[in-house]
Amino acid sequence: MDLVKLQRQLVDYRASLYHECVLDEQFTQLQQLQDENNPDFVVEVVSLFFEDSERLLNELTKALEQQSIDFKRVDAHVHQLKGSSSSIGAQRVQKSCIAFRNYCEEQNVEGCLACLQQVRIEYSLVKTKLEYMFQLEQQILSSGGSIPI
Amino acid sequence: MVCEMENDQIEDMEVEVLSSMWPEDIEHEAGKQFNVEKPRGDQDMLEEVTIVEEPTIVDFQHLIELTNYTDKGSSQLAYLVKHWEYKQANAVRLLREELDNLSRQRQESELKKLEILEEHRFEEERYGGDKRSISILDGIYDIWQEVPRRKNNIVVPSKRVEIDAEYDTVIYWKQRATHLEKMLEASMQREQLLKEKLQESIKNLEKQSSPVEELSQILKRADNFLHFVLQTAPVVFGHQDKELRYRFIYNHFPSLQEEDILGKTDVEIFTGSGVKESQDFKKEVMDKGLPAKREITFETELFGSKTFLIYVEPVFSKAGETIGINYMGMDITDQVRKREKMIKLREEIAVRKAKETELNRTIHITEETMRAKQMLATMSHEIRSPLSGVVSMAEILSTTKLDREQRQLLNVMLSSGDLVLQLINDILDLSKVESGVMKLESTKFRPREVVKHVLQTAAASLQKILTLEGNVADDVPIEVIGDVLRIRQILTNLISNAIKFTHEGKVGVKLYVVPEPPFAKEASQRVSNESTANQSTTNISKEETCTSMSQTSSDQRGFHGKKHDGSCQNHSQSEPGTRVRNGTIDTSEEQAELLETTVWIRCDVYDTGIGIPENALPTLFKKYMQVSADHARKYGGTGLGLAICKQLVELMGGRLTVSSRVHCGSTFTFILPYKVSLSCDSSDDPDDLSDMDDHGATNDDATASFFQFQPRTLGSLFSSNGSSRTQRLLPHNVGYCCANSHKLNGFSETSYSFPTGNGRTKEMELVEDACSVAEAVEISSEPESSFSHSPDPHNGSPICSDKHHRNDVSAETKASTRDASSCSETSRDIDVKIKIREPQLPPKRQERPDNCSQSSQEVSNSISKPKILLVEDNKINVMVTQNMMKQLGHMIDVVNNGVEAVRAVQCHSYDLVLMDVCMPVMDGLQATKLIRSFEETGNWDEAVKAGIEQPSTFDSLQPDRTHPKHTPIIAMTANALSESADECFANGMDSFVSKPVTFQKLKECLEQYLP
């Protein structure tokens, strides 16, 4: 009984993520990459993304705290973040990165800081949501069900 | 006498009336309305008479004769004469009366004279008698007529004055007597005068009353009237004699000279349809002696197509015998036409009405049907939801702890539930298709993948010892556009059907391109073909012919022959590809779209099953039909599967057919049109053809053309088993001798074209094939060996070490033994293949997993796969791209920046480089530039200048490469704006894909740049 409920919940939840533009179809691509040979692919990639993003966010925070900001460096970091977020389909993170880079180009510290904040928020949002989703999937798997596509 | 009368009459007509009545313009026309000759005024009457007597021109003689002989004429004349006689008599009577009056008066006057004389005598006798007599005389005087009295009045007084003698004397009386005598004499004289006058008037009357004048007047009037009425009437009338020669004709719009008509018959005048009919009709009237009317349509040269209403009456002589006919015709062509039009219209209206009612009925029925179907669909849908709930509940229940009996019950429940669900799904599908709700989607997909997956799925649930095989011809494009879900559904359905009815042997799928089938041609003729489409079809057919050629030659089984054919094939195949590729680079994407064309792919699903009896074939695709009730019991199923397949296939514009032999097996064939975007169908640069290294790159899942799945009970699920190994190993080696896969295909096609074909030959062929392949490896081992020697473990470059590592893992550790080992592996593989072809051989189990192991796959990959380098600094991007490539069947080398990329290229020859543009240390543009510089100059001087040391193995790698090939480098750009496409091209990149990379983009890219 729980299983069906869980499955439905997962489907709904996933749909809501797409609906809220937290994720885009690139994430679907990731899911397609996951198969019997590579059962944890999505989780792996996403974990890598979390890891990498956190590192980058820290770097960014540090860089922007500097007296004289090395905007090139900041831009490189944002570029990285943008690339990886677009690769996993974290659409909102990616979009806020675009704005971030524009401020970087203008060497606008205020804007950069605001954007960093924004990126951080978006990142934690996608992180929370994805983690919850993985949790659901895990529950389903552990109760012997299959993950609905 | 008669003649003269005629002449008189005619003269009168000419002078007084006719000239004014006949319109001037008509008079000058070819013919005359009134074809009775009109004499000229100055012509002599006698001449006229002679002309009249000529029979060809106006036949006056005959006309007169006519009037004399015919009933009608004579009666008319008699009437006129009677009329005249009556008038004459009347005049005579009047004259007589007058004469009587006059003679009576004369008698009276003579009587008076006598009286007077007597009186006078009496007076003379009684001379001097009484005086009263005067008063009597006076009284008598009063009786006299007025005129003489008046005269008397004048005369008498004067005479009285004259007398003037003594009254009552003798002289007086004498005088009086002589006077009276004179008066009498005058009266006599007057009488004489009157008589003369009378005589004269009688004479005058006699002269006047000649009938000619009268008759001519009447005739003139009648003629005037006739002319007035007939002036513009569309009538023709005439008289024809006994031989039906025209004697007289009146035609308002004559088209012939009268001399062409008179004296001739209809048949002599006209030719054409209707003439004979009218002639016959006239004859008939003449024979019967009764007037008749008829409508006759003439089709003559003279006046075209005209319909006349003809009235014909016989003309009799006084003796009662027929001497000719009068005929009158009226042109009613327009009326007839109108009438016919009306009839047609009425007919059409009737037909239309009938159709309308029919249509209404059909619409009604259709509506009813649609409603019923829709209701069915809705109902099915409604049923499905709760049912799927029930089934899934049961499924969940089955995961709980149950005792045996419960489990059995639950299994039954599940299978029944599944069946019902299947049935409802089928019904839903069917009604969707039938009610037109079913919408087809068109997506790009890979037919090979579909075949593979469907077979894989079927193999997974296979509970029999059956071999499943798939065979895709090379001419089938790698990617086509169609409704992949439906096509899968069809394929799955057919395959599961085949499996269901097959107890031993195999079930297989064969895909190959066919020319446009006739049924589609009919349909497509309606649609206008774009010229570009035509062109591209030609391309495909060219390829096709080439392929078939190589197939034929492959029958010879001689390696060298094959080799040549193969190269020919490769060459020819690359031609369209090049063109297309140029097209995509030079032209805009829209034009690339235009290159889309339709390819017809035939799919045979064959089995070695129980077959279908011939009598069951017609009902096979009908709904709820199974071959027999027995079968239904034995095999189950809803009987809807094939019906759905057929409907789906037809919905997609194709055909589903079946051929079968009882106990031998069945083949279901469906031919479907697919859209192909030609830009994907490209192959290598023609320049590269000479370079042997390039030809090992065709084998991955996208291009693999043969799949085989052994019975599940005997081994693991599909992985790269025997046949796919053939793909992995053999083709690559053969690849050095060109056209690997084609040749192989040639084999597999020939060997599997008969579903019931025996396995032995197959094995033989395979062995042979493999042997020749081995030979090929030996022949062409040179470049390979030098290449495989190249990795330098001390180089420090990540790929190199990676490679090395892989080599360590693999079964074959030493690069130097690669040749021999690959060869031996090949032959070992063949052994395995032969073994696994015999299903019940136990050793197979051990063999297979071994062969399918990851390590061997990697080895084969490192040898056979096209080498792809990914240059990307972002770990996540690397991971995603790597996995996508893996799914696409490629293992790729990864480096993290431009410098590493250059180093990697220095160590290896890559078939494709995916290059991120924005990277630390050295960006993709710079790296590309360096690589291109090397390709042009053959040395790495530029790279050295940029600070990249030349690897120490460089010399050993390069000597035999006089002309380094052009490596396709694809830029991966985060967005096309800041890292512009122009910049990419300017730095020597071949193309670019925007990030994030997707399956689709990668696929397209690979298809375009890997042969």
Side-chain angles (χ1 to χ4, degrees):
Chain A
M1 195 67 91
D2 272 353
L3 186 61
V4 175
K5 226 186 221 168
L6 275 174
Q7 282 172 336
R8 178 156 299 169
Q9 198 182 343
L10 175 65
V11 170
D12 291 344
Y13 189 73
R14 199 158 49 195
S16 78
L17 290 185
Y18 286 104
H19 188 69
E20 292 163 18
C21 294
V22 175
L23 296 177
D24 63 17
E25 63 274 13
Q26 185 67 17
F27 189 76
T28 323
Q29 294 260 330
L30 290 193
Q31 284 179 317
Q32 282 170 7
L33 287 173
Q34 183 164 297
D35 55 19
E36 310 88 64
N37 300 332
N38 218 342
D40 297 324
F41 177 72
V42 176
V43 179
E44 279 170 22
V45 175
V46 171
S47 310
L48 187 64
F49 169 70
F50 290 158
E51 224 170 83
D52 196 50
S53 300
E54 262 150 51
R55 178 183 64 83
L56 285 169
L57 284 172
N58 285 335
E59 295 269 332
L60 278 172
T61 317
K62 256 189 243 163
L64 284 172
E65 275 167 1
Q66 299 293 314
Q67 209 63 25
S68 59
I69 298 168
D70 181 357
F71 279 103
K72 244 188 192 165
R73 218 175 115 89
V74 174
D75 189 60
H77 288 320
V78 180
H79 176 72
Q80 287 284 326
L81 188 57
K82 177 171 161 270
S84 39
S85 57
S86 82
S87 270
I88 69 145
Q91 205 184 152
R92 288 167 68 150
V93 179
Q94 186 208 345
K95 285 196 174 140
S96 45
C97 284
I98 293 171
F100 202 155
R101 286 193 78 180
N102 287 339
Y103 285 121
C104 256
E105 214 168 307
E106 294 168 19
Q107 310 224 329
N108 181 337
V109 187
E110 297 285 307
C112 282
L113 284 172
C115 275
L116 177 62
Q117 193 58 29
Q118 184 62 31
V119 170
R120 211 188 277 281
I121 291 167
E122 294 297 353
Y123 165 71
S124 47
L125 179 78
V126 75
K127 189 182 180 194
T128 328
K129 298 231 165 187
L130 282 174
E131 275 174 346
Y132 181 67
M133 195 177 86
F134 292 149
Q135 243 175 359
L136 279 179
E137 284 181 0
Q138 215 49 50
Q139 275 177 13
I140 290 165
L141 288 174
S142 62
S143 52
S146 62
I147 291 166
I149 298 155
Chain B
M1 158 61 193
V2 177
C3 254
E4 211 176 319
M5 205 175 82
E6 260 332 296
N7 286 347
D8 277 350
Q9 184 188 347
I10 283 161
E11 203 173 17
D12 283 342
M13 279 160 74
E14 200 266 330
V15 173
E16 290 181 45
V17 195
L18 284 186
S19 59
S20 63
M21 276 301 292
W22 289 25
E24 299 288 308
D25 52 339
I26 286 177
E27 218 167 5
H28 297 297
E29 272 177 17
K32 288 171 193 96
Q33 292 175 318
F34 222 127
N35 281 314
V36 178
E37 182 69 10
K38 185 195 81 181
R40 306 283 151 188
D42 56 349
Q43 270 174 331
D44 188 58
M45 288 303 120
L46 280 171
E47 260 179 53
E48 200 56 39
V49 173
T50 50
I51 290 166
V52 163
E53 278 162 356
E54 278 174 35
T56 40
I57 316 193
V58 188
D59 199 347
F60 277 113
Q61 196 60 53
H62 187 79
L63 193 65
I64 293 150
E65 275 168 25
L66 262 185
T67 0
N68 284 343
Y69 291 150
T70 63
D71 261 3
K72 233 183 166 184
S74 58
S75 71
Q76 214 172 359
L77 208 64
Y79 167 74
L80 281 172
V81 170
K82 252 182 211 164
H83 187 70
W84 179 76
E85 273 171 358
Y86 169 74
K87 277 194 154 185
Q88 199 82 346
N90 206 28
V92 167
R93 191 176 50 84
L94 282 172
L95 284 171
R96 279 219 183 103
E97 271 170 22
E98 192 78 5
L99 206 63
D100 283 352
N101 264 348
L102 279 173
S103 55
R104 206 167 47 232
Q105 271 178 21
R106 201 182 62 182
Q107 271 172 4
E108 266 174 31
S109 69
E110 262 169 27
L111 211 70
K112 195 125 269 177
K113 186 185 158 185
L114 273 175
E115 251 175 60
I116 289 165
L117 280 174
E118 265 173 52
E119 198 188 340
H120 184 69
R121 223 178 295 147
F122 175 72
E123 272 186 342
E124 278 181 345
E125 281 169 43
R126 284 193 294 168
Y127 195 74
D130 59 56
K131 295 162 191 177
R132 281 189 74 190
S133 61
I134 298 166
S135 63
I136 300 165
L137 256 174
D138 279 341
I140 294 166
Y141 253 100
D142 279 334
I143 310 163
W144 280 89
Q145 285 174 314
E146 273 184 295
V147 180
R149 197 172 64 182
R150 215 180 283 153
K151 269 183 181 172
N152 277 350
N153 282 345
I154 303 161
V155 172
V156 174
S158 70
K159 274 175 186 170
R160 269 186 189 172
V161 175
E162 267 180 62
I163 293 169
D164 206 27
E166 313 97 88
Y167 183 71
D168 224 3
T169 61
V170 176
I171 296 165
Y172 168 79
W173 286 114
K174 266 189 181 172
Q175 263 184 353
R176 188 177 157 100
T178 43
H179 209 73
L180 280 174
E181 201 144 349
K182 272 178 193 168
M183 277 176 72
L184 189 68
E185 235 163 84
S187 158
M188 289 286 272
Q189 220 170 346
R190 226 169 26 237
E191 200 187 297
Q192 192 60 36
L193 211 77
L194 275 171
K195 247 182 201 171
E196 265 168 35
K197 247 186 195 168
L198 190 70
Q199 210 62 41
E200 201 182 322
S201 93
I202 285 171
K203 219 176 155 190
N204 219 11
L205 202 68
E206 246 167 26
K207 211 171 140 195
Q208 249 189 15
S209 56
S210 132
V212 175
E213 185 84 1
E214 200 93 12
L215 280 174
S216 69
Q217 287 290 335
I218 291 164
L219 284 175
K220 224 183 281 167
R221 270 205 302 279
D223 192 58
N224 282 353
F225 174 71
L226 277 176
H227 271 280
F228 174 69
V229 171
L230 293 176
Q231 205 168 17
T232 55
V235 288
V236 178
F237 54 84
H239 174 77
Q240 282 165 290
D241 64 14
K242 224 174 167 182
E243 289 161 27
L244 291 174
R245 295 187 185 280
Y246 280 95
R247 289 307 182 144
F248 165 84
I249 184 157
Y250 170 84
N251 185 2
H252 180 66
F253 301 110
S255 40
L256 281 178
Q257 294 285 352
E258 61 189 54
E259 53 261 36
D260 293 335
I261 299 174
L262 292 176
K264 291 184 181 167
T265 63
D266 278 330
V267 188
E268 283 164 6
I269 297 164
F270 312 107
T271 50
S273 69
V275 176
K276 190 88 208 335
E277 191 188 345
S278 75
Q279 178 104 343
D280 290 347
F281 174 57
K282 283 168 186 171
K283 258 183 205 151
E284 198 187 311
V285 168
M286 214 150 61
D287 293 345
K288 278 189 183 165
L290 289 171
K293 278 186 270 185
R294 188 177 286 183
E295 219 175 271
I296 296 175
T297 305
F298 291 93
E299 179 74 62
T300 60
E301 281 172 26
L302 204 61
F303 45 77
S305 171
K306 286 211 160 153
T307 307
F308 283 88
L309 178 65
I310 287 172
Y311 169 72
V312 180
E313 58 174 19
V315 179
F316 302 105
S317 71
K318 275 172 188 164
E321 56 182 310
T322 322
I323 56 160
I325 49 143
N326 283 341
Y327 118 93
M328 181 180 277
M330 187 181 238
D331 182 2
I332 52 163
T333 314
D334 295 346
Q335 285 70 23
V336 169
R337 240 173 241 161
K338 268 180 209 159
R339 196 176 61 202
E340 274 163 9
K341 239 183 229 171
M342 281 298 282
I343 291 167
K344 219 179 256 174
L345 273 176
R346 250 176 236 140
E347 256 170 37
E348 265 170 33
I349 288 168
V351 168
R352 208 162 283 172
K353 254 184 195 160
K355 264 187 194 163
E356 209 172 294
T357 24
E358 188 63 24
L359 214 67
N360 274 333
R361 206 175 306 148
T362 321
I363 287 172
H364 188 70
I365 292 167
T366 317
E367 272 174 358
E368 286 288 297
T369 322
M370 288 288 279
R371 210 171 303 142
K373 269 174 194 156
Q374 255 159 13
M375 209 178 81
L376 192 65
T378 326
M379 258 174 56
S380 306
H381 186 76
E382 294 300 317
I383 294 167
R384 192 164 62 162
S385 313
L387 186 65
S388 58
V390 170
V391 173
S392 45
M393 285 309 121
E395 265 166 8
I396 293 163
L397 193 63
S398 70
T399 59
T400 58
K401 266 188 186 172
L402 297 170
D403 63 32
R404 222 181 128 189
E405 201 181 346
Q406 279 172 329
R407 191 160 294 281
Q408 260 180 354
L409 290 174
L410 198 63
N411 282 341
V412 174
M413 184 173 155
L414 272 174
S415 62
S416 313
D418 279 338
L419 186 65
V420 178
L421 255 182
Q422 183 60 42
L423 182 62
I424 286 171
N425 281 340
D426 285 356
I427 291 171
L428 204 56
D429 273 356
L430 251 187
S431 48
K432 260 189 198 162
V433 176
E434 280 176 357
S435 60
V437 178
M438 177 81 77
K439 291 270 184 311
L440 290 175
E441 285 169 22
S442 51
T443 44
K444 266 191 189 172
F445 70 96
R446 300 181 162 200
R448 285 169 185 79
E449 261 176 26
V450 170
V451 170
K452 188 186 128 185
H453 290 161
V454 169
L455 287 173
Q456 214 168 350
T457 318
S461 54
L462 196 61
Q463 285 162 354
K464 299 175 180 173
I465 302 172
L466 284 178
T467 303
L468 302 184
E469 58 191 26
N471 192 340
V472 183
D474 284 300
D475 49 7
V476 174
I478 287 169
E479 222 166 48
V480 296
I481 299 165
D483 191 334
V484 63
L485 281 180
R486 298 295 163 206
I487 290 161
R488 262 184 106 126
Q489 188 180 357
I490 295 162
L491 207 52
T492 310
N493 227 325
L494 292 178
I495 287 173
S496 63
N497 235 12
I499 290 171
K500 192 154 78 179
F501 295 107
T502 305
H503 304 298
E504 55 181 351
K506 62 175 181 276
V507 168
V509 182
K510 202 164 63 180
L511 237 68
Y512 50 99
V513 171
V514 290
E516 192 178 10
F519 67 83
K521 269 180 195 150
E522 284 161 28
S524 71
Q525 265 167 357
R526 281 172 242 138
V527 187
S528 66
N529 269 338
E530 282 176 44
S531 61
T532 43
N534 280 339
Q535 212 180 345
S536 34
T537 325
T538 340
N539 280 349
I540 284 179
S541 62
K542 215 189 279 172
E543 259 176 74
E544 224 173 50
T545 45
C546 207
T547 320
S548 59
M549 191 174 79
S550 73
Q551 277 174 16
T552 346
S553 62
S554 70
D555 290 341
Q556 298 166 350
R557 312 242 158 83
F559 172 68
H560 294 288
K562 269 179 229 163
K563 184 176 166 185
H564 289 305
D565 277 326
S567 59
C568 141
Q569 187 175 24
N570 236 356
H571 186 70
S572 66
Q573 204 183 17
S574 69
E575 264 177 354
T578 322
R579 200 189 307 161
V580 171
R581 188 163 134 185
N582 287 340
T584 41
I585 292 169
D586 297 339
T587 56
S588 66
E589 264 181 57
E590 281 166 45
Q591 267 169 312
E593 284 289 311
L594 275 179
L595 285 171
E596 248 187 26
T597 179
T598 303
V599 61
W600 289 83
I601 297 177
R602 177 176 159 142
C603 179
D604 291 337
V605 177
Y606 52 87
D607 61 55
T608 55
I610 57 168
I612 304 157
E614 210 170 299
N615 58 8
L617 286 176
T619 55
L620 199 62
F621 296 113
K622 296 245 170 76
K623 277 174 266 180
Y624 308 106
M625 278 292 189
Q626 287 187 325
V627 170
S628 71
D630 265 1
H631 283 85
R633 259 198 304 283
K634 196 168 163 191
Y635 296 106
T638 60
L640 279 173
L642 283 176
I644 290 172
C645 287
K646 191 171 172 64
Q647 296 226 358
L648 283 174
V649 168
E650 278 163 11
L651 188 70
M652 289 187 269
R655 284 281 163 91
L656 175 63
T657 49
V658 64
S659 66
S660 182
R661 273 177 65 193
V662 178
H663 305 308
C664 291
S666 314
T667 304
F668 285 84
T669 302
F670 63 92
I671 304 175
L672 280 180
Y674 302 87
K675 283 249 155 35
V676 183
S677 141
L678 278 189
S679 52
C680 304
D681 201 26
S682 63
S683 65
D684 218 336
D685 261 349
D687 307 42
D688 297 345
L689 277 172
S690 55
D691 201 314
M692 296 233 232
D693 285 306
D694 283 332
H695 298 289
T698 47
N699 308 290
D700 62 339
D701 278 352
T703 52
S705 53
F706 185 67
F707 320 96
Q708 195 173 46
F709 301 85
Q710 293 302 321
R712 188 192 191 186
T713 45
L714 299 176
S716 71
L717 263 180
F718 166 84
S719 60
S720 51
N721 69 5
S723 54
S724 67
R725 172 171 311 279
T726 332
Q727 289 292 312
R728 291 255 151 80
L729 281 168
L730 307 181
H732 172 67
N733 295 330
V734 181
Y736 287 95
C737 327
C738 316
N740 42 20
S741 59
H742 290 292
K743 201 183 303 164
L744 196 78
N745 265 315
F747 262 106
S748 33
E749 287 222 345
T750 42
S751 50
Y752 295 123
S753 51
F754 307 103
T756 51
N758 53 36
R760 247 187 85 85
T761 35
K762 241 177 279 167
E763 287 158 25
M764 293 299 287
E765 281 159 10
L766 274 161
V767 172
E768 243 181 301
D769 183 28
C771 285
S772 57
V773 163
E775 214 182 327
V777 171
E778 270 171 10
I779 291 161
S780 58
S781 58
E782 263 332 291
E784 221 236 304
S785 73
S786 66
F787 171 54
S788 40
H789 275 288
S790 63
D792 181 15
H794 311 295
N795 186 280
S797 150
I799 9 132
C800 293
S801 54
D802 183 35
K803 176 120 241 155
H804 191 67
H805 169 73
R806 254 190 250 162
N807 284 345
D808 280 343
V809 175
S810 68
E812 279 73 45
T813 32
K814 285 189 182 175
S816 56
T817 60
R818 177 93 28 99
D819 283 352
S821 68
S822 63
C823 203
S824 70
E825 192 174 317
T826 316
S827 47
R828 193 186 67 187
D829 198 66
I830 294 153
D831 292 339
V832 172
K833 271 194 73 61
I834 293 163
K835 277 176 199 158
I836 56 177
R837 293 210 152 263
E838 279 139 38
Q840 263 117 5
L841 271 180
K844 199 169 173 192
R845 265 190 203 195
Q846 277 98 40
E847 289 271 18
R848 278 180 44 90
D850 181 39
N851 289 325
C852 305
S853 72
Q854 190 67 17
S855 65
S856 74
Q857 209 173 8
E858 264 189 40
V859 171
S860 65
N861 267 331
S862 67
I863 305 165
S864 70
K865 286 288 172 184
K867 291 185 68 70
I868 298 167
L869 178 68
L870 172 67
V871 189
E872 166 68 70
D873 62 325
N874 189 309
K875 274 184 267 176
I876 289 130
N877 289 354
V878 169
M879 193 167 174
V880 171
T881 312
Q882 211 169 14
N883 272 279
M884 282 180 177
M885 291 300 253
K886 200 162 132 197
Q887 282 239 326
L888 291 170
H890 296 278
M891 294 305 290
I892 55 174
D893 293 338
V894 181
V895 292
N896 296 321
N897 59 50
V899 175
E900 287 174 11
V902 172
R903 287 211 177 107
V905 173
Q906 281 173 341
C907 297
H908 294 280
S909 162
Y910 284 100
D911 298 302
L912 182 67
V913 178
L914 298 171
M915 181 90 74
D916 187 18
V917 175
C918 198
M919 280 179 302
V921 187
M922 180 186 279
D923 68 14
L925 301 174
Q926 173 84 17
T928 308
K929 223 179 346 189
L930 294 178
I931 293 168
R932 290 285 179 249
S933 144
F934 161 69
E935 282 171 358
E936 275 160 34
T937 61
N939 62 60
W940 287 104
D941 295 350
E942 287 292 320
V944 174
K945 265 185 230 163
I948 305 169
E949 293 153 44
Q950 203 163 304
S952 52
T953 50
F954 177 69
D955 288 331
S956 68
L957 172 70
Q958 294 304 330
D960 51 336
R961 307 185 108 222
T962 46
H963 279 291
K965 63 165 187 172
H966 175 98
T967 312
I969 301 179
I970 315 296
M972 299 200 294
T973 60
N975 62 67
L977 285 178
S978 66
E979 297 151 347
S980 76
D982 291 342
E983 215 174 345
C984 293
F985 293 135
N987 282 284
M989 283 161 160
D990 292 275
S991 178
F992 68 93
V993 293
S994 61
K995 287 206 266 187
V997 290
T998 60
F999 261 131
Q1000 196 57 36
K1001 289 176 198 166
L1002 279 181
K1003 247 191 251 178
E1004 279 166 15
C1005 183
L1006 291 178
E1007 272 156 22
Q1008 192 173 349
Y1009 289 99
L1010 292 180

